[in-house]
Amino acid sequence: MNRRSTTRLVTFAAAAGLALASLTACSAGGDDNAADGEVTLTWWHNATSGPMPAVWEEVASEFEAAHPGVKVEQTGYQNEDLQRTLIPNALASGDAPDLFQVWPGGELRDQVANGYLKPLDDSIADTIASVGATVNPWQVDGKTYGIPFTFGIEGFWYNKDQFKEAGISAPPTTLDELIADNAKLREAGFTPIAVGAGDKWPAAHWWYQFALHSCSPETLQTAEKDFDFSDPCFVEAGQQLKDFIGTNPFQEGFLGTPAQQGAGSSAGLVANGQAAMELMGHWNAGVIGGLTPDQQVPAFLGWFPFPGIEGSAGDPTAALGGGDGFGCSADAPKECDELLAYIMSDEVQAKFAASGSGIPTVPSAVDSLEDPNLKAVAEGLANASFVQLWLDTAYGTTVGNAMNEGIVNLFAGTGTPEDIVKKMTDAAATL
Amino acid sequence: MILPVILAAVYSFYNLPAAFKWENLADPERFVGFDNYIRAFQTPEFIKAIGNNFIILVLSLVIQGPIAIGVALLLNRPMRGRAVIRLLIFVPYVLAEVIAGLSWKLLLQPTGGVNALLEAIGLGALKQNWLADPNIALWTLFAILTWKYVGFAIILMLAGLQGVPEELAEAAQIDGATWWQTQRYITIPLLAPTIRIWAFLSMIGALQLFDMVWVTVAPTVRQMSTETMATYMVQQGQFAGQPGYGSAIAVILFFISLVVALLYQRFALRRDLQGAITRGVR
């Protein structure tokens, strides 16, 4: 060994020592319960803009005031980063936050199977009962691992002024009417529908809607449980979507359009009058409001549910939806359950509803909704005969991702309706 | 330094869930042997991603190389404003990749600055969905990469030119050689070691390409036309919740880079690096 490599070895050892030291420092600092009996709760949510960060901050300090010795550290992260990167990594590293956002369906099942989540039935049964059947997607084998604080359905956010100018008197109630209205909008010089296909999932939601309206509720429930996609209605959904894309309903260059960021996004196109409609979830009024020059939800904005499809097995009043829930990590202190119960209390839910950020899940709070569009969505939710969870959420990350890839191929004109189902079946086989 | 490589190799033999736990590695049902590798090479998207990496590699060599050499030769002559030009050429390389990518993304969107400029100078017919049209997105991406990295190549070449003795060029000129002949027969051959090192860096960069693609191209268009091995790896490993499969992609990417690097060292860099890296090779 010559002198140079000795130096290198020493440097390496020093670097490794430093790295180790900082790791230890990290884990020491991350410990929850300090020796003097004080409890620190860490809470991760997805509120980064609009009125919500302030609401959660208030909730945290109110809870601290009512529970001496408890400290709540709440942090908001961008939704996709939170769900796809931060939470999975935190769970895998064994240093999970106490209270964090939990997506229902497949992801929840994965986390439960790994023992990451705490069952809540014994500690806060009343809170669970208060939201009724909405909690079902957060349950596995009869146990509840999360409670949704907001739940809503998807529909069309549209520009009432442009509809009027194009001579459309009422929102479409069937697919044929929708296609006819698109033609009228084009004639009047408007882009009928904006879709943020660049982000994949907004494009995929179109296929979900066609599947929802082509497949019977029983077929959808079996598919969610057994990953059985053999029913021809799934291929039919792809064919219907292909035909629909063939009528040229979307804006130019939709393959590269993002969904919710910037004036050039699909929400931005609707916000600034460059497209007449967008198919999107219950949160969209807030997103559109944030993309207008004056940061207000525009007065022209209206909402209607996805129309039924004539002659198909699907339920015309079925709706596609989802929500955000909170759950406690497996080794969280009991104060975590209490905080969750407080978040779900009537007063916090009413405050949430009044902020106009979404639809609360506790029925008494729904009356506190002030935003007319959110009221319309809440009404749509109440009228829906059957609510299917977003399919990618319901099927879990692996199948959901393969499904979205297949749908995007169809949008780009390089895939077939059969490919989508094949991708889903293949992905399910790797589980 | 070696630990992540070993871990990736271990993971790649398992079918791991999105919510990973160490216990998963002890579960015999999760051990799938070479299935992840077989799957990778049977997936058209991944084959296409490898192809994209090599398209960018070849384009970099045949387009960026000559541009860099040409500009360096021109800038090596005394002229007014040389320092300013050198600085301007180097600016894109200094800029953070993510910042540069986001700027280009904004400039190249359908309603962005590039299309507005084309319209303004009467070339409205040339307007494109630069990064949204899968047919041209790869070319747009390559143009951005060239803008970003050609400055580095030029600076490298200029440094190499400092080592070329001026006496040789002067002697050639006295013998009646033109400027071009001097460059062709004296300067460029003497610059060859620099060119070979640059080509090596460029090839490795092309194979590992990630940031610029990830930042500028929307996921859908990326899937259609600009996926690289690295973006496919992150997409599958992180966002599609398949760490095992993603690890297999990482191992494949590692081996392809290693093979290219070794072959290049063995055949092109042999003389340049004699005794430095390839000690055994004579």
Side-chain angles (χ1 to χ4, degrees):
Chain A
M1 191 182 269
N2 59 28
R3 178 140 169 246
R4 204 152 123 231
S5 48
T6 318
T7 328
R8 256 193 234 156
L9 192 70
V10 170
T11 323
F12 175 74
L18 265 180
L20 264 180
S22 56
L23 271 178
T24 341
C26 263
S27 55
D31 267 357
D32 283 337
N33 303 338
D36 53 8
E38 296 224 338
V39 177
T40 303
L41 290 175
T42 42
W43 172 19
W44 289 3
H45 53 76
N46 71 346
T48 53
S49 61
M52 281 319 289
V55 173
W56 289 147
E57 202 184 312
E58 216 179 304
V59 167
S61 51
E62 284 164 6
F63 185 79
E64 280 176 356
H67 296 76
V70 179
K71 205 169 154 350
V72 180
E73 284 175 359
Q74 54 93 25
T75 326
Y77 298 97
Q78 196 276 329
N79 194 43
E80 296 280 309
D81 291 345
L82 180 66
Q83 298 291 159
R84 298 268 187 240
T85 312
L86 294 170
I87 291 175
N89 288 349
L91 290 175
S93 70
D95 194 17
D98 298 306
L99 184 69
F100 56 96
Q101 200 145 299
V102 179
W103 272 355
E107 224 148 282
L108 178 89
R109 286 198 296 271
D110 257 7
Q111 292 176 354
V112 170
N114 276 300
Y116 289 144
L117 293 172
K118 183 204 257 193
L120 304 164
D121 304 84
D122 294 336
S123 57
I124 48 173
D126 293 349
T127 306
I128 294 169
S130 72
V131 296
T134 345
V135 80
N136 291 353
W138 279 266
Q139 290 174 326
V140 178
D141 297 332
K143 280 190 183 158
T144 312
Y145 295 91
I147 305 177
F149 62 92
T150 176
F151 197 95
I153 58 169
E154 182 171 74
F156 284 95
W157 299 87
Y158 75 112
N159 186 322
K160 288 189 247 181
D161 297 349
Q162 291 185 356
F163 267 50
K164 205 182 277 172
E165 256 182 77
I168 303 166
S169 51
T173 54
T174 67
L175 184 64
D176 291 342
E177 280 176 34
L178 177 66
I179 293 171
D181 288 349
N182 287 343
K184 284 186 199 162
L185 285 162
R186 280 257 184 238
E187 239 168 75
F190 301 118
T191 300
I193 305 175
V195 60
D199 284 337
K200 289 193 183 181
W201 59 267
H205 278 210
W206 277 90
W207 186 87
Y208 304 170
Q209 288 285 2
F210 281 108
L212 178 72
H213 289 91
S214 298
C215 299
S216 68
E218 294 72 38
T219 311
L220 289 168
Q221 275 156 353
T222 318
E224 193 172 330
K225 216 166 69 244
D226 308 333
F227 294 125
D228 173 9
F229 308 114
S230 57
D231 194 293
C233 69
F234 287 104
V235 174
E236 199 185 301
Q239 189 56 48
Q240 285 167 345
L241 175 57
K242 200 176 167 204
D243 295 344
F244 184 76
I245 296 170
T247 65
N248 188 26
F250 301 123
Q251 84 277 16
E252 218 181 298
F254 57 81
L255 287 180
T257 306
Q260 308 187 330
Q261 285 172 328
S265 66
S266 53
L269 293 176
V270 175
N272 300 304
Q274 287 168 308
M277 300 178 244
E278 185 190 12
L279 176 67
M280 189 47 69
H282 46 99
W283 58 81
N284 210 33
V287 176
I288 288 176
L291 292 171
T292 57
D294 59 356
Q295 302 278 305
Q296 297 293 319
V297 177
F300 62 68
L301 200 65
W303 187 90
F304 64 89
F306 196 92
I309 300 173
E310 308 83 343
S312 66
D315 185 335
T317 62
L320 188 68
D324 288 335
F326 286 126
C328 289
S329 65
D331 47 6
K334 67 175 192 335
E335 283 82 0
C336 178
D337 309 35
E338 289 166 20
L339 175 58
L340 180 51
Y342 181 60
I343 290 170
M344 298 305 303
S345 67
D346 288 1
E347 63 212 85
V348 174
Q349 278 271 299
K351 197 184 286 179
F352 172 69
S355 77
S357 307
I359 298 161
T361 45
V362 174
S364 71
V366 176
D367 297 336
S368 305
L369 279 176
E370 286 162 17
D371 182 88
N373 288 307
L374 286 183
K375 278 188 194 165
V377 179
E379 201 178 310
L381 176 62
N383 292 339
S385 57
F386 167 69
V387 178
Q388 167 65 46
L389 201 60
W390 315 121
L391 293 185
D392 51 355
T393 315
Y395 298 159
T397 324
T398 306
V399 177
N401 194 73
M403 173 173 64
N404 290 1
E405 280 176 11
I407 297 169
V408 158
N409 284 343
L410 189 76
F411 264 78
T414 59
T416 66
E418 289 80 9
D419 289 344
I420 300 170
V421 180
K422 184 173 181 302
K423 268 184 180 285
M424 293 162 74
T425 316
D426 289 352
T430 70
L431 291 174
Chain B
M1 271 195 298
I2 295 295
L3 187 66
V5 181
I6 295 171
L7 277 183
V10 172
Y11 292 166
S12 70
F13 294 114
Y14 288 84
N15 178 15
L16 297 172
F20 170 75
K21 269 195 154 182
W22 285 102
E23 289 93 290
N24 294 147
L25 295 181
D27 182 350
E29 274 187 27
R30 296 238 169 235
F31 185 80
V32 294
F34 283 94
D35 279 8
N36 284 329
Y37 292 91
I38 295 167
R39 181 175 154 207
F41 286 108
Q42 283 174 346
T43 306
E45 283 89 349
F46 181 58
I47 305 293
K48 193 166 163 34
I50 300 179
N52 283 340
N53 276 112
F54 279 93
I55 289 173
I56 287 171
L57 186 150
V58 171
L59 285 179
S60 303
L61 293 182
V62 301
I63 294 180
Q64 291 174 4
I67 292 177
I69 296 169
V71 174
L73 289 177
L74 291 176
L75 282 184
N76 202 35
R77 299 200 293 180
M79 60 198 248
R80 282 166 64 96
R82 191 169 72 165
V84 175
I85 297 176
R86 284 188 182 189
L87 184 68
L88 283 179
I89 286 172
F90 202 54
V91 163
Y93 183 72
V94 177
L95 216 56
E97 189 133 348
V98 175
I99 307 284
L102 283 176
S103 316
W104 277 110
K105 184 182 179 179
L106 289 174
L107 284 171
L108 290 167
Q109 66 187 6
T111 53
V114 170
N115 278 347
L117 182 72
L118 285 173
E119 186 93 89
I121 59 173
L123 292 173
L126 289 180
K127 285 204 296 185
Q128 299 283 346
N129 285 322
W130 298 103
L131 287 165
D133 182 347
N135 296 318
I136 59 171
L138 190 65
W139 304 101
T140 311
L141 181 71
F142 179 72
I144 300 174
L145 288 170
T146 303
W147 168 85
K148 182 88 170 69
Y149 287 105
V150 88
F152 173 69
I154 292 169
I155 296 294
L156 209 61
M157 302 294 176
L158 279 172
L161 285 173
Q162 302 302 310
V164 176
E166 268 175 50
E167 295 81 23
L168 290 176
E170 279 166 15
Q173 270 157 12
I174 291 167
D175 289 346
T178 61
W179 180 80
W180 170 241
Q181 283 173 329
T182 316
Q183 309 302 326
R184 171 71 187 82
Y185 294 104
I186 294 172
T187 314
I188 294 181
L190 287 172
L191 190 60
T194 310
I195 297 175
R196 284 194 289 264
I197 289 287
W198 163 77
F200 181 69
L201 294 175
S202 177
M203 285 159 70
I204 296 300
L207 289 174
Q208 309 275 353
L209 179 61
F210 174 78
D211 320 30
M212 194 58 90
V213 190
W214 194 262
V215 173
T216 54
V217 187
T220 298
V221 180
R222 202 166 66 221
Q223 183 186 319
M224 302 285 86
S225 72
T226 69
E227 203 84 271
T228 66
M229 287 187 275
T231 60
Y232 185 74
M233 171 183 84
V234 174
Q235 177 66 36
Q236 298 299 320
Q238 179 82 53
F239 292 89
Q242 300 178 94
Y245 182 53
S247 298
I249 304 288
V251 172
I252 296 170
L253 170 58
F254 175 74
F255 272 103
I256 290 179
S257 304
L258 189 70
V259 166
V260 168
L262 286 178
L263 285 177
Y264 190 79
Q265 271 190 14
R266 180 76 182 78
F267 292 106
L269 286 182
R270 196 160 72 163
R271 280 172 302 155
D272 302 337
L273 298 176
Q274 221 159 48
I277 296 176
T278 52
R279 186 165 291 167
V281 184
R282 280 279 185 272

